[in-house]
Amino acid sequence: MAALLASTAVPLAAETPDREQIVSIVKEQRDATIEDLREWIALPTIAAEKLNTPAGAEYMKQLALDAGFQQAKIIPTDGVPAVFATLDAGAETTLGLYFMYDVKQFDPSEWDAPPLEGRLVEREGEGLTIVGRGAVNQKGPEMALLAAIKAIQASGKKLPVNLVLVAEGEEEVASTHFDQVVAVPEVRDALAKTVGVFIPSAAQSKDGSANITLGAKGAVEFQLVVGGETSDKYPKTDIHSSNHARIENPAWRLVKALDTLVADDGHTPAIDGWFENVRPLTERQKELIAEGAALNPEEEAKALLGVGRWIDDEPYVTSLERFLSQPTVNIQGLIAGYTGPGGKTVLPGRAEAKLEFRLVPAMTKDEAVSKLKAHLAKRGFDDVQVTVSGGYGPNETDEDSVLIRAQKALFDEKGIPYSIRPRNAGSWPGVIFNGPPLNLPASQFGLSRGGGAHAPNEWFLIESSDPKVNGLDEAIMAYVDYLYVVAEEAAEVSD
């Protein structure tokens, strides 16, 4: 358990200057912060639906200016625009921030509260929450960080770090054009001056413990399509099902193609050469996973996911090793023919599968896509169209980087137990910062709590019923403290 706290390895951070004054300001600004978050939730940017794509960027730009960034501008891409902003505090250290201003799709009929209202709802065992699409992923944590920046400035102080912000509107479609943003010389040069880049997150567990992650899996989103648009052996539209005696059904063809992508167990990837560049877990990473299991009980994990067992009835730690180390080929959805009540006796003119890969070190997006296409071609599936909608590789950050050292120091100072994960099984485009030409540390940080990302009734905690778990005010102060600790750690490293 000593490795969980790591107090002997990292010196305690200095207390944030005039902290009580900033706490008071955070409390005074609380209602305004909640209203700001509610208004942001009311404006969803959904890249997949091309919803509010110009408006979302303009709104993000204004949020940055309102938080004290001296300049903010829209960065055009071949898809949804991004936002680039800088705040020069005259500090010795510059810190990078990554925001996403887009959200996932939603079906209001599945929600208990309107998904764009930002309603305050009491959640049993948690406290008062705000419910809405984007509440935790990632508008709640991001608004808390913006509120922290405002509170420091309202106290009459300069920030302990300069800030460089990049915010994209395509994260939920696997950051299709984000590499174009970082390639802009002005953006690239500003980021190159930072000690690293982090994304605000809600990483506090129900018992108050925290999680540090040293990376994340990569992701590639794509579609497989079979139908009249891919070959003349299929009809252009749905036709009478009696024709299946003489005309091929694209849905069956798609099923056959999909079946080749995984082994008979239904989950092990079977794409040719898929595991060729998969780097196995190190002994240190296995040690971290085992330690993390002690802070995140198995029954809670199963209850959260609504399952009773892991693949092959594996032990908990083994399932966690699989979770964090294995690349996946996942079917998100299947669409073909008639899906209404009863039957309709049609032969579909089109069948589509929406899939994603999750990639681990040392895999790359280009490698994964090339192997998929070669795999299908080798088996004669030349009528299966592959369309890649976005993606990026995995990212990794050293445990001794300034960003991670600062998290350890802060948690040690506050007496917060924490686990260190080798990587998240979910994804974010940290590789854009991690990889060349920037080669920067990239991490996630946030001492707040929420849930329901990508699901109905998404929520973010505002007032906690447990003093060990942060509500909004405490989450804001965690960002205040983190900025000061990053400055201190960076100074120690430079000395």
Side-chain angles (χ1 to χ4, degrees):
M1 191 66 72
L4 292 176
L5 298 179
S7 58
T8 59
V10 181
L12 295 185
E15 182 70 19
T16 297
D18 300 316
R19 192 177 190 279
E20 289 307 310
Q21 180 191 3
I22 300 175
V23 168
S24 177
I25 292 170
V26 167
K27 290 179 179 178
E28 291 172 6
Q29 295 178 343
R30 180 176 179 275
D31 289 347
T33 301
I34 293 172
E35 189 57 31
D36 287 345
L37 177 54
R38 181 179 285 119
E39 290 177 1
W40 199 8
I41 288 171
L43 182 71
T45 296
I46 302 177
E49 298 177 354
K50 296 181 172 57
L51 178 67
N52 295 323
T53 52
E58 291 291 344
Y59 201 90
M60 181 70 249
K61 172 185 171 182
Q62 192 58 51
L63 285 174
L65 293 172
D66 291 346
F69 285 79
Q70 290 105 344
Q71 72 87 22
K73 60 177 64 175
I74 304 294
I75 304 294
T77 74
D78 290 339
V80 179
V83 176
F84 166 61
T86 56
L87 192 162
D88 185 353
E92 299 268 334
T93 299
T94 300
L95 178 62
L97 307 175
Y98 167 83
F99 277 23
M100 50 179 283
Y101 67 83
D102 63 321
V103 299
K104 272 294 185 188
Q105 302 94 317
F106 56 88
D107 180 351
S109 67
E110 299 176 341
W111 290 62
D112 296 331
L116 301 183
E117 180 182 319
R119 181 179 296 178
L120 296 179
V121 175
E122 193 71 29
R123 184 178 179 87
E124 185 177 356
E126 299 279 3
L128 186 67
T129 69
I130 187 167
V131 174
R133 177 51 86 226
V136 70
N137 185 26
Q138 299 285 129
K139 291 180 177 180
E142 290 169 351
M143 186 59 73
L145 176 54
L146 293 175
I149 296 168
K150 289 180 183 179
I152 294 173
Q153 294 174 110
S155 73
K157 300 175 184 62
K158 291 184 177 181
L159 266 68
V161 292
N162 310 312
L163 298 174
V164 176
L165 168 68
V166 284
E168 68 159 318
E170 292 182 313
E171 200 280 342
E172 295 293 13
V173 291
S175 303
T176 317
H177 301 99
F178 187 52
D179 57 338
Q180 296 177 6
V181 179
V182 179
V184 173
E186 182 183 9
V187 179
R188 183 191 62 229
D189 293 348
L191 287 168
K193 298 174 183 176
T194 69
V195 295
V197 181
F198 85 92
I199 175 175
S201 66
Q204 196 169 27
S205 299
K206 193 172 183 179
D207 63 359
S209 62
N211 296 297
I212 295 175
T213 58
L214 303 178
K217 288 183 177 180
V220 181
E221 292 210 17
F222 61 98
Q223 296 80 45
L224 299 184
V225 176
V226 184
E229 66 198 81
T230 70
S231 173
D232 62 6
K233 61 185 176 183
Y234 308 113
K236 298 293 184 184
T237 62
D238 292 1
I239 59 175
H240 196 282
S241 62
S242 63
N243 284 291
H244 190 29
R246 59 177 179 169
I247 298 174
E248 288 200 44
N249 185 322
W252 278 121
R253 182 64 168 169
L254 179 60
V255 168
K256 295 295 185 182
L258 290 171
D259 190 47
T260 72
L261 302 183
V262 295
D264 289 343
D265 61 17
H267 59 80
T268 301
I271 296 171
D272 295 337
W274 187 247
F275 290 93
E276 184 179 23
N277 293 317
V278 171
R279 187 190 306 155
L281 292 170
T282 65
E283 289 306 311
R284 171 60 175 159
Q285 288 172 330
K286 290 181 179 180
E287 178 186 347
L288 291 174
I289 290 170
E291 290 172 347
L295 279 184
N296 298 278
E298 179 177 19
E299 290 311 311
E300 286 186 16
K302 286 180 175 178
L304 183 65
L305 296 168
V307 299
R309 63 182 66 185
W310 311 117
I311 280 177
D312 297 334
D313 290 319
E314 290 176 336
Y316 184 38
V317 171
T318 305
S319 78
L320 287 173
E321 289 181 357
R322 178 193 292 275
F323 188 43
L324 300 179
S325 71
Q326 293 301 295
T328 60
V329 180
N330 178 56
I331 298 174
Q332 300 176 359
L334 296 169
I335 307 164
Y338 177 69
T339 59
K344 197 182 177 185
T345 60
V346 297
L347 188 157
R350 185 179 193 275
E352 177 180 351
K354 297 181 182 293
L355 300 95
E356 108 261 348
F357 295 146
R358 298 286 172 169
L359 309 180
V360 300
M363 304 174 79
T364 68
K365 171 192 171 184
D366 290 345
E367 171 205 356
V369 173
S370 295
K371 286 180 175 176
L372 168 67
K373 291 180 177 179
H375 173 95
L376 292 172
K378 180 180 177 181
R379 287 156 180 79
F381 288 106
D382 56 341
D383 55 334
V384 177
Q385 176 182 294
V386 179
T387 301
V388 178
S389 53
Y392 44 82
N395 67 81
E396 292 184 288
T397 287
D398 191 273
E399 205 173 334
D400 198 43
S401 68
V402 168
L403 296 185
I404 304 302
R405 285 168 56 90
Q407 292 185 44
K408 291 180 181 179
L410 179 59
F411 297 154
D412 287 339
E413 178 189 349
K414 304 297 183 183
I416 298 171
Y418 63 89
S419 60
I420 303 174
R421 296 174 178 171
R423 68 184 62 98
N424 270 347
S427 304
W428 72 287
V431 68
I432 302 296
F433 310 112
N434 253 179
L438 292 170
N439 300 309
L440 291 168
S443 182
Q444 305 179 43
F445 173 76
L447 265 180
S448 54
R449 180 158 170 78
H454 296 194
N457 304 314
E458 182 178 353
W459 59 278
F460 183 69
L461 191 58
I462 299 297
E463 291 180 4
S464 176
S465 58
D466 184 341
K468 297 191 298 294
V469 179
N470 284 351
L472 177 62
D473 289 357
E474 295 81 13
I476 293 170
M477 286 307 304
Y479 285 121
V480 171
D481 294 335
Y482 186 58
L483 296 182
Y484 279 97
V485 178
V486 166
E488 181 181 272
E489 289 295 327
E492 287 190 10
V493 169
S494 64
D495 290 343

